[in-house]
PDB file of all heavy atoms in Angstrom:
ATOM      1  N   VAL A1168      -4.643  -9.659   7.606  1.00  0.00           N
ATOM      2  CA  VAL A1168      -5.685 -10.495   8.208  1.00  0.00           C
ATOM      3  C   VAL A1168      -5.952 -11.707   7.319  1.00  0.00           C
ATOM      4  O   VAL A1168      -5.744 -11.644   6.106  1.00  0.00           O
ATOM      5  CB  VAL A1168      -6.995  -9.695   8.431  1.00  0.00           C
ATOM      6  CG1 VAL A1168      -6.796  -8.653   9.516  1.00  0.00           C
ATOM      7  CG2 VAL A1168      -7.498  -9.064   7.167  1.00  0.00           C
ATOM      8  N   SER A1170      -8.570 -13.232   5.850  1.00  0.00           N
ATOM      9  CA  SER A1170      -9.984 -13.245   5.475  1.00  0.00           C
ATOM     10  C   SER A1170     -10.313 -14.576   4.809  1.00  0.00           C
ATOM     11  O   SER A1170      -9.589 -15.011   3.908  1.00  0.00           O
ATOM     12  CB  SER A1170     -10.289 -12.088   4.520  1.00  0.00           C
ATOM     13  OG  SER A1170     -10.139 -10.873   5.197  1.00  0.00           O
ATOM     14  N   TYR A1178     -18.659 -11.923   9.050  1.00  0.00           N
ATOM     15  CA  TYR A1178     -17.270 -11.486   8.827  1.00  0.00           C
ATOM     16  C   TYR A1178     -17.192 -10.587   7.605  1.00  0.00           C
ATOM     17  O   TYR A1178     -17.778 -10.864   6.566  1.00  0.00           O
ATOM     18  CB  TYR A1178     -16.337 -12.682   8.609  1.00  0.00           C
ATOM     19  CG  TYR A1178     -14.891 -12.227   8.399  1.00  0.00           C
ATOM     20  CD1 TYR A1178     -14.025 -12.087   9.481  1.00  0.00           C
ATOM     21  CD2 TYR A1178     -14.408 -11.899   7.131  1.00  0.00           C
ATOM     22  CE1 TYR A1178     -12.719 -11.634   9.305  1.00  0.00           C
ATOM     23  CE2 TYR A1178     -13.103 -11.449   6.946  1.00  0.00           C
ATOM     24  CZ  TYR A1178     -12.268 -11.330   8.036  1.00  0.00           C
ATOM     25  OH  TYR A1178     -10.979 -10.873   7.856  1.00  0.00           O
ATOM     26  N   SER A1180     -13.967  -8.026   5.737  1.00  0.00           N
ATOM     27  CA  SER A1180     -12.537  -7.667   5.859  1.00  0.00           C
ATOM     28  C   SER A1180     -12.325  -6.383   6.671  1.00  0.00           C
ATOM     29  O   SER A1180     -12.805  -5.306   6.292  1.00  0.00           O
ATOM     30  CB  SER A1180     -11.928  -7.473   4.475  1.00  0.00           C
ATOM     31  OG  SER A1180     -10.659  -6.852   4.600  1.00  0.00           O
ATOM     32  N   PRO A1181     -11.594  -6.466   7.787  1.00  0.00           N
ATOM     33  CA  PRO A1181     -11.386  -5.274   8.616  1.00  0.00           C
ATOM     34  C   PRO A1181     -10.554  -4.199   7.950  1.00  0.00           C
ATOM     35  O   PRO A1181     -10.766  -3.014   8.197  1.00  0.00           O
ATOM     36  CB  PRO A1181     -10.656  -5.812   9.850  1.00  0.00           C
ATOM     37  CG  PRO A1181     -10.463  -7.251   9.670  1.00  0.00           C
ATOM     38  CD  PRO A1181     -11.025  -7.692   8.382  1.00  0.00           C
ATOM     39  N   ILE A1182      -9.602  -4.586   7.095  1.00  0.00           N
ATOM     40  CA  ILE A1182      -8.773  -3.526   6.478  1.00  0.00           C
ATOM     41  C   ILE A1182      -9.597  -2.776   5.438  1.00  0.00           C
ATOM     42  O   ILE A1182      -9.520  -1.554   5.336  1.00  0.00           O
ATOM     43  CB  ILE A1182      -7.430  -4.075   5.908  1.00  0.00           C
ATOM     44  CG1 ILE A1182      -6.555  -2.947   5.347  1.00  0.00           C
ATOM     45  CG2 ILE A1182      -7.624  -5.150   4.861  1.00  0.00           C
ATOM     46  CD1 ILE A1182      -6.092  -1.924   6.334  1.00  0.00           C
ATOM     47  N   VAL A1183     -10.449  -3.499   4.724  1.00  0.00           N
ATOM     48  CA  VAL A1183     -11.306  -2.816   3.753  1.00  0.00           C
ATOM     49  C   VAL A1183     -12.265  -1.862   4.511  1.00  0.00           C
ATOM     50  O   VAL A1183     -12.481  -0.724   4.101  1.00  0.00           O
ATOM     51  CB  VAL A1183     -12.083  -3.850   2.898  1.00  0.00           C
ATOM     52  CG1 VAL A1183     -13.118  -3.193   2.024  1.00  0.00           C
ATOM     53  CG2 VAL A1183     -11.097  -4.657   2.037  1.00  0.00           C
ATOM     54  N   ARG A1186     -10.363   1.313   5.861  1.00  0.00           N
ATOM     55  CA  ARG A1186     -10.075   2.298   4.815  1.00  0.00           C
ATOM     56  C   ARG A1186     -11.284   3.208   4.624  1.00  0.00           C
ATOM     57  O   ARG A1186     -11.147   4.417   4.437  1.00  0.00           O
ATOM     58  CB  ARG A1186      -9.746   1.582   3.504  1.00  0.00           C
ATOM     59  CG  ARG A1186      -8.411   0.845   3.536  1.00  0.00           C
ATOM     60  CD  ARG A1186      -8.265  -0.107   2.344  1.00  0.00           C
ATOM     61  NE  ARG A1186      -7.012  -0.868   2.419  1.00  0.00           N
ATOM     62  CZ  ARG A1186      -6.797  -1.983   1.731  1.00  0.00           C
ATOM     63  NH1 ARG A1186      -7.730  -2.481   0.940  1.00  0.00           N
ATOM     64  NH2 ARG A1186      -5.637  -2.610   1.847  1.00  0.00           N
ATOM     65  N   ASN A1194      -4.410   4.471  -1.612  1.00  0.00           N
ATOM     66  CA  ASN A1194      -3.506   3.396  -1.225  1.00  0.00           C
ATOM     67  C   ASN A1194      -2.262   3.519  -2.108  1.00  0.00           C
ATOM     68  O   ASN A1194      -2.296   3.237  -3.305  1.00  0.00           O
ATOM     69  CB  ASN A1194      -4.196   2.030  -1.422  1.00  0.00           C
ATOM     70  CG  ASN A1194      -3.492   0.942  -0.633  1.00  0.00           C
ATOM     71  OD1 ASN A1194      -2.285   0.954  -0.499  1.00  0.00           O
ATOM     72  ND2 ASN A1194      -4.271   0.009  -0.131  1.00  0.00           N
ATOM     73  N   ARG A1196       1.486   2.624  -3.166  1.00  0.00           N
ATOM     74  CA  ARG A1196       2.330   1.437  -3.100  1.00  0.00           C
ATOM     75  C   ARG A1196       3.564   1.564  -3.994  1.00  0.00           C
ATOM     76  O   ARG A1196       3.521   1.243  -5.184  1.00  0.00           O
ATOM     77  CB  ARG A1196       1.504   0.208  -3.487  1.00  0.00           C
ATOM     78  CG  ARG A1196       0.342   0.011  -2.534  1.00  0.00           C
ATOM     79  CD  ARG A1196      -0.451  -1.253  -2.762  1.00  0.00           C
ATOM     80  NE  ARG A1196      -1.067  -1.662  -1.506  1.00  0.00           N
ATOM     81  CZ  ARG A1196      -1.859  -2.685  -1.327  1.00  0.00           C
ATOM     82  NH1 ARG A1196      -2.162  -3.464  -2.352  1.00  0.00           N
ATOM     83  NH2 ARG A1196      -2.363  -2.969  -0.146  1.00  0.00           N
ATOM     84  N   ARG A1217      -3.754   3.726  -5.704  1.00  0.00           N
ATOM     85  CA  ARG A1217      -5.000   2.973  -5.860  1.00  0.00           C
ATOM     86  C   ARG A1217      -6.122   3.658  -5.125  1.00  0.00           C
ATOM     87  O   ARG A1217      -5.973   3.999  -3.933  1.00  0.00           O
ATOM     88  CB  ARG A1217      -4.751   1.575  -5.277  1.00  0.00           C
ATOM     89  CG  ARG A1217      -5.950   0.760  -4.949  1.00  0.00           C
ATOM     90  CD  ARG A1217      -5.489  -0.543  -4.267  1.00  0.00           C
ATOM     91  NE  ARG A1217      -6.637  -1.323  -3.816  1.00  0.00           N
ATOM     92  CZ  ARG A1217      -6.549  -2.406  -3.065  1.00  0.00           C
ATOM     93  NH1 ARG A1217      -5.363  -2.862  -2.684  1.00  0.00           N
ATOM     94  NH2 ARG A1217      -7.639  -3.059  -2.693  1.00  0.00           N
ATOM     95  N   TYR A1224     -15.188  -2.742  -4.267  1.00  0.00           N
ATOM     96  CA  TYR A1224     -14.970  -2.823  -2.822  1.00  0.00           C
ATOM     97  C   TYR A1224     -16.076  -2.177  -1.987  1.00  0.00           C
ATOM     98  O   TYR A1224     -15.995  -2.154  -0.760  1.00  0.00           O
ATOM     99  CB  TYR A1224     -13.598  -2.222  -2.461  1.00  0.00           C
ATOM    100  CG  TYR A1224     -12.456  -3.174  -2.696  1.00  0.00           C
ATOM    101  CD1 TYR A1224     -12.038  -3.477  -3.991  1.00  0.00           C
ATOM    102  CD2 TYR A1224     -11.795  -3.796  -1.645  1.00  0.00           C
ATOM    103  CE1 TYR A1224     -10.997  -4.363  -4.225  1.00  0.00           C
ATOM    104  CE2 TYR A1224     -10.752  -4.682  -1.864  1.00  0.00           C
ATOM    105  CZ  TYR A1224     -10.353  -4.952  -3.142  1.00  0.00           C
ATOM    106  OH  TYR A1224      -9.318  -5.823  -3.370  1.00  0.00           O
ATOM    107  N   ASP A1346      -5.371  -3.174  -6.820  1.00  0.00           N
ATOM    108  CA  ASP A1346      -5.033  -4.353  -6.013  1.00  0.00           C
ATOM    109  C   ASP A1346      -4.211  -5.334  -6.853  1.00  0.00           C
ATOM    110  O   ASP A1346      -3.190  -5.864  -6.409  1.00  0.00           O
ATOM    111  CB  ASP A1346      -6.338  -4.996  -5.532  1.00  0.00           C
ATOM    112  CG  ASP A1346      -6.097  -6.156  -4.580  1.00  0.00           C
ATOM    113  OD1 ASP A1346      -5.251  -6.033  -3.689  1.00  0.00           O
ATOM    114  OD2 ASP A1346      -6.775  -7.208  -4.739  1.00  0.00           O
ATOM    115  N   SER A1349      -0.553  -3.939  -7.829  1.00  0.00           N
ATOM    116  CA  SER A1349       0.543  -3.880  -6.863  1.00  0.00           C
ATOM    117  C   SER A1349       1.135  -5.263  -6.582  1.00  0.00           C
ATOM    118  O   SER A1349       2.345  -5.385  -6.388  1.00  0.00           O
ATOM    119  CB  SER A1349       0.129  -3.164  -5.573  1.00  0.00           C
ATOM    120  OG  SER A1349      -1.000  -3.739  -4.999  1.00  0.00           O
ATOM    121  N   ASP A1350       0.331  -6.313  -6.592  1.00  0.00           N
ATOM    122  CA  ASP A1350       0.911  -7.655  -6.423  1.00  0.00           C
ATOM    123  C   ASP A1350       1.724  -8.039  -7.655  1.00  0.00           C
ATOM    124  O   ASP A1350       2.795  -8.668  -7.533  1.00  0.00           O
ATOM    125  CB  ASP A1350      -0.174  -8.724  -6.180  1.00  0.00           C
ATOM    126  CG  ASP A1350      -0.547  -8.833  -4.693  1.00  0.00           C
ATOM    127  OD1 ASP A1350      -0.539  -7.802  -3.993  1.00  0.00           O
ATOM    128  OD2 ASP A1350      -0.865  -9.952  -4.219  1.00  0.00           O
ATOM    129  N   GLU A1375       0.949  -0.298   5.837  1.00  0.00           N
ATOM    130  CA  GLU A1375       0.486  -1.707   5.743  1.00  0.00           C
ATOM    131  C   GLU A1375       1.290  -2.408   4.661  1.00  0.00           C
ATOM    132  O   GLU A1375       1.317  -1.943   3.520  1.00  0.00           O
ATOM    133  CB  GLU A1375      -1.016  -1.671   5.327  1.00  0.00           C
ATOM    134  CG  GLU A1375      -1.639  -3.008   5.059  1.00  0.00           C
ATOM    135  CD  GLU A1375      -2.760  -2.942   4.006  1.00  0.00           C
ATOM    136  OE1 GLU A1375      -3.271  -1.854   3.690  1.00  0.00           O
ATOM    137  OE2 GLU A1375      -3.093  -4.004   3.493  1.00  0.00           O
ATOM    138  N   CYS A1377       2.029  -4.799   1.616  1.00  0.00           N
ATOM    139  CA  CYS A1377       1.042  -5.211   0.602  1.00  0.00           C
ATOM    140  C   CYS A1377       0.604  -6.653   0.767  1.00  0.00           C
ATOM    141  O   CYS A1377      -0.465  -7.039   0.289  1.00  0.00           O
ATOM    142  CB  CYS A1377       1.653  -5.090  -0.792  1.00  0.00           C
ATOM    143  SG  CYS A1377       1.610  -3.422  -1.383  1.00  0.00           S
TER     144      CYS A1377
HETATM  145  O1  48Y B1139      -8.084 -10.132   2.536  1.00  0.00           O
HETATM  146  C1  48Y B1139      -8.510  -9.030   2.906  1.00  0.00           C
HETATM  147  O2  48Y B1139      -9.209  -8.907   3.923  1.00  0.00           O
HETATM  148  C2  48Y B1139      -8.174  -7.789   2.164  1.00  0.00           C
HETATM  149  C3  48Y B1139      -7.174  -8.011   1.059  1.00  0.00           C
HETATM  150  C4  48Y B1139      -6.604  -6.696   0.571  1.00  0.00           C
HETATM  151  C5  48Y B1139      -7.474  -6.043  -0.459  1.00  0.00           C
HETATM  152  O3  48Y B1139      -7.449  -4.806  -0.540  1.00  0.00           O
HETATM  153  O4  48Y B1139      -8.163  -6.724  -1.229  1.00  0.00           O
HETATM  154  C6  48Y B1139      -5.211  -6.944   0.005  1.00  0.00           C
HETATM  155  O5  48Y B1139      -5.244  -7.695  -1.171  1.00  0.00           O
HETATM  156  C7  48Y B1139      -4.482  -5.652  -0.185  1.00  0.00           C
HETATM  157  O6  48Y B1139      -3.954  -5.445  -1.270  1.00  0.00           O
HETATM  158  O7  48Y B1139      -4.400  -4.859   0.779  1.00  0.00           O
END
Side-chain angles (χ1 to χ4, degrees):
V1168 292
S1170 293
Y1178 181 90
S1180 167
I1182 183 63
V1183 172
R1186 291 167 183 161
N1194 198 325
R1196 298 186 153 178
R1217 163 185 175 189
Y1224 279 73
D1346 185 44
S1349 55
D1350 274 35
E1375 175 210 344
C1377 279

